[in-house]
Amino acid sequence: MAQRKFTLDEKDLPTHWYNIQADLPTPLPPPLHPGTGQPIGPQDLAPLFPIELIKQEVSRERWIPIPEPVRDAYRLWRPTPLIRALGLEKAIGTPARIYYKWEGVSPAGSHKPNTAIAQAYYNKQEGVRRLATETGAGQWGSALAMAARMFGLECKVYMVRVSYDQKPYRRVLMETWGASVVPSPSPDTNAGRAALRADPDSPGSLGLAISEAVEDAATREDTKYSLGSVLNHVLMHQTVIGLEAKKQLELAGERADILVGCVGGGSNFSGFAFPFVADKLAGKTDARIVAVEPMASPSLTKGRYLYDFGDAAMTTPLLKMHTLGHGFMPAPIHAGGLRYHGMAPAVCALYDTQVIEAVAVHQNPTFEAAVQFARAEGFVPAPESAHAIRVVIDEALRCRESGQAKTIAFNLSGHGLFDLGAYERYLKGQLEDYEYPADKVEQALADLPKVAV
Ligand SMILES: *Cc1c(COP(=O)(O)O)cnc(C)c1O
């Protein structure tokens, strides 16, 4: 019998995070001040983030030690298992060997606590009392609500209106961990009030919710802001995933030919892939590393690589990234998550230099892959993670045709037990494939800030 599960001991939990900035052939383009268009300094970010996280954001040290209290919290569910998808391989009839790193075992059900714990810890260390954040589907909000509670911080979550209405259980989960949750746009901030005046029924967007949370943090002494993806320090905290996975693939006696992850803002993909990207940059592997995004929100494959705001109200620093424009509103029919208009600058730089690839997939084939996976492996994947599964199955089918026994590894970033509404719509045949039109990208890009770079 082939071995199914590759587990590490508590003592094998990584002691350091891996910082890809040490190994990028060219430094990342700096974030720019939205007013002056000049590179921002640490003092510009100090109202929003604790100093230690600002340092990590710009650090070029390769290894950053993980503080003991953070490792201790990680030990609740880490190291997470790497599982050979024997059931899926059989269902597909492929000679490929498929492995998944299973991040759904965290208390919040996704990879997001890997950074939420670290962020709550550093804020607590620096005397912060309260954290403000945004959440789309609710995964990030629930991860931060849990982490804030562990370190004795208050937590306010601006939850995108459509999700607030359609996904009450995630809200209840956040409230169970003690967070206060409001629908965004909310009457609690200037950005929210302006959006409500323009459209009292606004469904909200991630960009708008970010504006509200940033405003909350910037206008209160006791509060800082917390972001669940996109930024360098967030991606770095997630590298515990890939560092563990590398050891586990060694235990399995494997070298991955193809590594796959889904991308919204880029954090789970980066956390899984960057330790392998390090090997690729060092010429130690020529594995294909594939980021998968939805056709309905295709920032890498259809966006332009330009400086844009991180939020809809145009208040955050400008980041050089593949973007659909900060005014991007995802189509309401899109059920699969991964809705952010931009993408982590580090992921964009690697895509631009062709170290990694990107693929966009439609939502019906994505849910088809999710259901196939659930029936073969038992675990019900988050719709986000299912984007990666779609591409893994497609690659495994190619192996079936060519007879090649490739090794494919992917990050299963979370479970879908709070997403059964989306599964229900798929099973009833109510989901439509929707491709974000190229001319809308062009239109949105017309409002991009003009900076001289
Ligand atoms: C939030 C989330 C994502 C997308 O965010 P990234 O920052 O791109 O990882 C993917 N999968 C799950 C389960 C999530 O909760």
Side-chain angles (χ1 to χ4, degrees):
M1 280 290 262
Q3 189 173 340
R4 188 150 210 174
K5 196 158 142 220
F6 299 85
T7 48
L8 298 173
D9 288 342
E10 255 182 62
K11 65 173 169 39
D12 298 323
L13 184 73
T15 54
H16 292 70
W17 291 301
Y18 167 63
N19 179 14
I20 192 136
Q21 292 192 82
D23 292 323
L24 290 175
T26 38
L28 290 172
L32 303 181
H33 190 282
T36 64
Q38 294 301 309
I40 53 166
Q43 70 288 354
D44 295 307
L45 292 174
L48 295 184
F49 301 105
I51 295 299
E52 209 45 48
L53 292 178
I54 297 173
K55 283 196 203 148
Q56 291 181 1
E57 188 60 23
V58 295
S59 169
R60 302 198 64 195
E61 288 288 319
R62 183 169 291 114
W63 297 103
I64 308 272
I66 308 175
E68 259 326 298
V70 173
R71 294 184 78 227
D72 196 43
Y74 282 173
R75 275 195 281 269
L76 265 176
W77 75 95
R78 305 209 71 84
T80 62
L82 180 83
I83 300 174
R84 170 108 182 248
L86 290 169
L88 185 65
E89 290 171 16
K90 193 163 160 218
I92 301 171
T94 180
R97 291 186 301 280
I98 304 174
Y99 295 84
Y100 53 99
K101 181 67 169 160
W102 179 216
E103 288 295 307
V105 292
S106 81
S110 76
H111 66 291
K112 289 199 169 74
N114 296 331
T115 185
I117 296 274
Q119 293 190 42
Y121 167 78
Y122 288 115
N123 275 285
K124 181 69 181 181
Q125 283 295 98
E126 292 180 31
V128 175
R129 270 199 346 96
R130 181 173 171 274
L131 293 175
T133 197
E134 72 288 333
T135 196
Q139 284 114 325
W140 170 241
S142 44
L144 194 69
M146 178 195 75
R149 174 57 44 168
M150 281 183 176
F151 290 94
L153 299 167
E154 280 178 44
C155 181
K156 166 94 176 243
V157 182
Y158 295 86
M159 184 173 189
V160 177
R161 172 100 226 184
V162 272
S163 301
Y164 186 93
D165 292 339
Q166 290 171 5
K167 300 184 175 172
Y169 291 158
R170 281 272 175 201
R171 170 175 58 75
V172 176
L173 188 60
M174 291 184 262
E175 290 169 347
T176 299
W177 277 313
S180 123
V181 188
V182 291
S184 167
S186 81
D188 301 359
T189 65
N190 287 325
R193 286 186 290 270
L196 286 172
R197 271 195 304 278
D199 175 9
D201 299 320
S202 165
S205 70
L206 212 45
L208 180 56
I210 294 176
S211 305
E212 290 206 87
V214 166
E215 183 183 326
D216 180 320
T219 53
R220 281 184 61 153
E221 248 335 287
D222 64 345
T223 301
K224 296 226 186 278
Y225 171 64
S226 197
L227 188 65
S229 189
V230 180
L231 299 179
N232 297 326
H233 67 267
V234 179
L235 274 43
M236 188 186 75
H237 297 155
Q238 294 294 352
T239 57
V240 288
I241 304 172
L243 293 169
E244 289 174 7
K246 256 176 99 165
K247 281 194 196 165
Q248 289 162 311
L249 281 169
E250 275 166 33
L251 280 179
E254 293 282 11
R255 281 173 62 94
D257 298 303
I258 309 175
L259 294 144
V260 186
C262 67
V263 285
S267 75
N268 88 85
F269 169 79
S270 302
F272 176 65
F274 281 2
F276 298 93
V277 169
D279 286 352
K280 193 163 177 178
L281 290 171
K284 290 191 226 157
T285 173
D286 56 359
R288 291 176 52 210
I289 302 176
V290 188
V292 191
E293 61 185 10
M295 284 279 191
S297 182
S299 48
L300 283 174
T301 54
K302 281 213 182 142
R304 296 266 294 279
Y305 191 32
L306 293 168
Y307 270 101
D308 194 9
F309 293 100
D311 69 332
M314 304 183 282
T315 53
T316 67
L318 305 175
L319 296 176
K320 185 153 184 208
M321 56 185 178
H322 287 81
T323 177
L324 300 167
H326 54 267
F328 172 74
M329 285 264 181
I333 183 70
H334 175 62
L338 310 175
R339 293 181 172 82
Y340 188 57
H341 69 271
M343 183 57 63
V347 172
C348 295
L350 291 167
Y351 179 57
D352 196 53
T353 52
Q354 296 171 12
V355 179
I356 64 166
E357 305 165 33
V359 181
V361 293
H362 271 305
Q363 67 176 344
N364 276 306
T366 298
F367 275 92
E368 186 195 338
V371 169
Q372 186 174 3
F373 184 87
R375 291 178 185 176
E377 292 291 319
F379 298 117
V380 176
E384 289 86 350
S385 322
H387 289 76
I389 300 174
R390 176 70 267 161
V391 166
V392 168
I393 293 177
D394 289 344
E395 291 293 342
L397 287 168
R398 245 168 251 144
C399 287
R400 186 174 76 187
E401 274 153 38
S402 67
Q404 280 180 296
K406 290 192 178 158
T407 301
I408 307 173
F410 73 99
N411 193 35
L412 187 57
S413 50
H415 70 64
L417 297 178
F418 286 98
D419 301 286
L420 297 180
Y423 274 89
E424 181 178 34
R425 283 199 278 158
Y426 168 71
L427 292 170
K428 283 186 174 163
Q430 291 169 348
L431 289 184
E432 288 163 36
D433 285 338
Y434 170 81
E435 184 168 345
Y436 192 65
D439 59 316
K440 273 203 164 177
V441 182
E442 289 311 312
Q443 259 172 39
L445 294 179
D447 319 322
L448 245 50
K450 305 280 178 286
V451 287
V453 276

